[in-house]
Amino acid sequence: MEEESMEEEGGGGCCEAMMDDQNHNNWDAGGYGRHLLGPAAVPLGDHLLRGATAGPQAGPELPVVPEANGMLRSCESGGDTGKGGAGAIAAAININASTSKFLMNVITIEDYKSTYWPKLDSAIDQLLTQSPGDYIPISYEQIYSCVYKCVCQQHSEQMYSDLIKKITNHLERVSKELQASPPDLYIERFNVALGQYMGALQSIVPLFIYMNKFYIETKLNRDLKDDLIKLFTEHVAEKHIYNLMPLLLEAQSTPFQITPSTMANIVKGLYTLRPEWVQMAPALFSKFIPNILPPAVESELQEYAAQDQKLQRELMQNGFTR
């Protein structure tokens, strides 16, 4: 059976580092041997398999006979491995391919596609579509464990590809819904989409922490959160920035057309997605992002004062007094 190792995932020692996590089948230093045979087992190189517990319950010591195909077969103590020992060997413990697959917790690509990814897919769906304050009926422990096991079984590349495809499809639907929004609801709906997505990332990124550490950072030299933010930029923000910005500028010139919190969330969000968008409306971004504009100079003090007076008049016209 092909050896499963985190070293091939670019993050050797993953299973050893997580050996204290009882949710992950105790994959500890020493490989699967101690998990299967008990704490008293010794390395296979000693050619002995000892009982799992000490005392009168312990089983007899069994010599190990290596098979030509790399599997291990043991015979009873005192048995003859030569001529005449065939019956003893046939009656002894024989770890065949199917048994070893079960005991060693091997996850085939078919297992991943039929069992593991559907669980992740469903959880991601719920996280991407939840509203603030919603209770999500998913087991974070179960999803966390699924990701860990798939990483240890060398399915990181497939899992990363599936995750990117899943979120890309979701964001394309979000973009189409925004395109169909009327102008008076456009800003608010963009704010909801942005906030909902950024909120989902706060759960999605930690759930895929093992994949991020042992595949994305190690092999791709990137970071999962950055990749997922980039997806929103490419599939939503870039497609709507030229419709959104004029509406934001118009809302800025009409106080309280949208709430200050909505304006702040969108402006700060756009700056996070792509800082160079500041150049499209420096005055707007400067109200929410510090140090956007150059330092004030004495020659422009009168202009600053005129802007302040204009703002005060607008506030008074909307019912605010000094």
Side-chain angles (χ1 to χ4, degrees):
M1 180 176 62
E2 180 182 357
E3 182 182 358
E4 300 290 352
S5 170
M6 278 309 301
E7 292 179 0
E8 298 183 11
E9 282 287 352
C14 167
C15 295
E16 293 183 31
M18 310 310 165
M19 62 184 177
D20 292 330
D21 190 339
Q22 58 184 324
N23 297 317
H24 301 125
N25 298 326
N26 292 324
W27 291 355
D28 55 5
Y32 297 96
R34 288 208 296 269
H35 173 61
L36 300 177
L37 302 173
V42 297
L44 296 178
D46 294 340
H47 301 291
L48 290 175
L49 297 178
R50 299 178 184 171
T53 58
Q57 302 297 326
E61 293 184 351
L62 302 176
V64 173
V65 181
E67 292 274 5
N69 64 356
M71 301 302 296
L72 295 176
R73 184 175 62 184
S74 60
C75 59
E76 295 180 357
S77 179
D80 183 8
T81 59
K83 184 177 180 180
I89 294 175
I93 300 174
N94 182 17
I95 305 180
N96 57 31
S98 60
T99 304
S100 65
K101 174 186 172 182
F102 172 77
L103 293 177
M104 303 286 267
N105 293 316
V106 171
I107 300 173
T108 65
I109 187 62
E110 290 77 15
D111 295 333
Y112 166 81
K113 291 180 178 179
S114 64
T115 303
Y116 287 83
W117 175 248
K119 294 179 181 178
L120 299 176
D121 184 275
S122 176
I124 294 167
D125 254 338
Q126 294 183 64
L127 291 171
L128 288 172
T129 57
Q130 68 176 326
S131 298
D134 279 358
Y135 169 74
I136 304 300
I138 63 174
S139 170
Y140 286 86
E141 180 182 4
Q142 182 185 62
I143 301 306
Y144 189 80
S145 178
C146 280
V147 172
Y148 171 84
K149 291 176 182 178
C150 290
V151 169
C152 287
Q153 296 286 314
Q154 301 184 11
H155 298 301
S156 292
E157 183 176 359
Q158 182 66 53
M159 185 163 53
Y160 175 74
S161 175
D162 290 338
L163 176 63
I164 295 300
K165 182 179 180 180
K166 171 74 177 178
I167 294 182
T168 297
N169 290 338
H170 167 76
L171 292 176
E172 288 178 348
R173 290 193 298 271
V174 169
S175 181
K176 290 180 180 179
E177 291 173 359
L178 284 174
Q179 288 175 350
S181 297
D184 58 326
L185 298 177
Y186 193 93
I187 293 178
E188 189 61 44
R189 289 183 178 177
F190 183 92
N191 181 55
V192 170
L194 176 62
Q196 189 175 53
Y197 184 75
M198 292 302 181
L201 295 193
Q202 294 181 13
S203 295
I204 293 174
V205 172
L207 286 176
F208 286 86
I209 187 173
Y210 289 120
M211 183 182 70
N212 189 44
K213 181 173 180 61
F214 294 104
Y215 176 70
I216 302 176
E217 290 183 355
T218 303
K219 286 196 171 183
L220 304 182
N221 296 316
R222 297 202 303 267
D223 177 78
L224 178 59
K225 184 177 181 180
D226 292 341
D227 284 358
L228 298 185
I229 289 177
K230 184 179 179 182
L231 287 181
F232 189 91
T233 303
E234 294 177 347
H235 295 281
V236 180
E238 282 185 351
K239 295 179 179 180
H240 294 272
I241 187 67
Y242 294 104
N243 292 329
L244 179 65
M245 193 59 66
L247 294 175
L248 291 176
L249 293 173
E250 179 183 350
Q252 181 195 22
S253 63
T254 307
F256 311 109
Q257 180 175 333
I258 62 173
T259 63
S261 61
T262 296
M263 180 69 78
N265 290 339
I266 293 179
V267 171
K268 291 178 180 179
L270 292 175
Y271 183 76
T272 299
L273 298 177
R274 184 156 293 175
E276 56 265 33
W277 281 338
V278 166
Q279 304 304 319
M280 298 179 67
L284 173 62
F285 279 85
S286 68
K287 294 181 180 298
F288 306 97
I289 310 296
N291 303 319
I292 291 296
L293 297 177
V297 295
E298 184 176 357
S299 60
E300 297 179 351
L301 289 179
Q302 291 184 351
E303 181 179 349
Y304 299 147
Q307 292 178 356
D308 183 65
Q309 292 173 2
K310 178 182 177 183
L311 177 59
Q312 291 183 25
R313 288 195 300 269
E314 292 174 346
L315 289 174
M316 294 176 65
Q317 290 172 1
N318 286 273
F320 287 82
T321 60
R322 292 179 179 270

